[in-house]
Amino acid sequence: MTKINLPEIFGSLVFNQSVMKEMLPAKTFKAVKDTMEDGTPLNLEVANQIAEAMKEWAISKGATHYSHWFQPLTGITAEKHDSFLCPAEEGKIIMNFSGKELIKGEPDASSFPSGGKRSTFEARGYTVWDPTSYPFVKDHTLCIPTAFCSWTGEALDKKTPLLRSMESLNEQSLRILKLFGNDAKHVTTTMGPEQEYFLVDEKLYQKRKDLKMCGRTLFGARPVKGQEMDDQYFAAIKPRVIEYMEDLNTELWKLGIYAKTEHNEGAPAQHEMAPIFTTSNLAADQNQLTMEIMKKVARRHGLICLLHEKPFAGVAGSGKHNNWSIATDKWENLFAPGKTPRDNAQFLLFLTAVIKAVDDNQDLLRYSVASAGNDNRLGVIEAPPAIMSIYIGDELEAVLESIKEGKSYDNKAGSKLNIGVDVLPGIPKDSTDRNRTSPFAFTGNRFEFRSVGSSLSISGPNTILNSILANTLCDFADELEGSKNFDQDLQDLIKREITAHWKILFNGNGYAEDWVKEAEARGLKNYRTTPDAIEHYLDKKNVDLFTRMQIYTPEEMQSHYDIKLEKYCQVLNIEVNTMVKMVNKDIIPACMKYMNMLADTNAKMANMGCCTVAGKLLKKLNELAADLEKATDELVSKHSKTKEITDLLTAAKSYANDILPAMTQVRFVADQIEDLLGEEYKPFPSYEDLLFSVQ
């Protein structure tokens, strides 16, 4: 491995502030900074200067094209490449890139999902430069992060709502901070997504139709060894994997991505990469890039990177733990307990706002992580349940309980902290343990939203987190602004809201079956499937929230509702078709071939008067083959009826309630057949092959 000079290569393919400062006139650089920090519009002259510098820099990095890089509602990224070349005299060319081309593009892009907001013949869509996210060079192309909207101004992407939510949270947070005499000028959200993934051998992957078409295995008998020995988690990384990780880090570092942590995860062949925190919109862009590069680099090493939430049944699935916090322009973390009572009162108000926001909007948080893939993971042993709750740790819970009950609080050090009229108690920092079973856990100075699926764009969950907190802070500011006795009114508000939303706090084991019953008794929502969660997205309270905070229009919400339901149905439709094809073309033929050999063996053994083990196995396989045929026919019949349903929600519920159980039955029988087949008769690589082949 070539020695890496990390400070030299880090961000070398990014047109960041240090590059701008070096290449732009001081006045132009200041204009860019004002745009990035305050949203000040750029005039065309300044834009032309930026575009010229950006072009020259990109060409020096090997770029021949530029692209407005955006995040459509597919959940992945999109790009259309245009070269810098322009015709010149005598058949020559010049390299050109204007400010107009930098700021705005018209990519058409009519085939992306729009939820009915655009028909194919009304193709006009615009990409608009997001100057808060740095351009970068990838595959000889200058990629310019942009928002994507229709000609009427409606958002057609995931970036635009995220930026709106960040601005809304900034506005409402500043209102709250002003009440405490905090003179912060700007508040931004920060994010650090821990990305889990699996690596499998590419040659084995190519022999599995389900992995290629669906990203997960639809069949697979349990391996004789899974993760029960706990010998994969944090174990020494295997040579082939460490080579992949080193290559991956280098590519990420060049693009200015703060790849920090790498380790083996709990399941065989499962790993994790975690970056350092950065602002939410940049983190969202970088996570999309990370997922793309993970897959690309894996191919170089003869590997396939699987980002599906549950590629293998019976072992841990993959999440994307969404570490979320908010900070001022003075680098003050608003989720960090302060050292003084006044700072602490500010922290407690923001904490109370989060508690209220999560409780009031359990449906939206569940919606934000809902997908066909993530439904396979949530509620299984290694992942948080579909029930939303908050873990804050025993000590912080004791502080809140003392406020709720109006009693003094004794901390572990033995000193007594009284809840007085004018001050609130000091809170120890990092006094919480981690709770891996909680979907939403406070971890000292941030919240870890553990329910996010590994393949999902983090823009959606963070848009909703920002929006629900902004809405709650707006309510609090409306109540406290103009207060005649701020300290008393503040304490009354905190006590009232903690009492009202106490049910959302849970420090126990979210994996326990008893928690489901307890959560129901508390009145918490349990939306087990994606259709259950999506059904409530357009409830009046949600439409009112997003329109009040100016995040989504009702029309945009309707489109997201339709798109998410349609995608859920499409994913399961592909899985059903793949499953049926694998039964008919792989599993049944392999079973028949083995049975034919057994029949010959049984006849020969019977003629010799020997044991008829082959006959017993033949009979068992014959019965299972008949059961598989019956289960597959039942699946096909139910699927035909489901595809005739025109209402999206009804169809999605049919997939969840009728099709998935039928698929489970097909798999149950097929996996029994796999366990009985001779090794050379296997229709495709087994779980043992896939999970333990990469050394």
Side-chain angles (χ1 to χ4, degrees), residues 378-389:
L378 293 179
V380 186
I381 294 303
E382 82 288 344
I387 304 163
M388 292 296 143
S389 65

Side-chain angles (χ1 to χ4, degrees), residues 205 248 457:
Y205 166 90
L248 173 65
S457 164

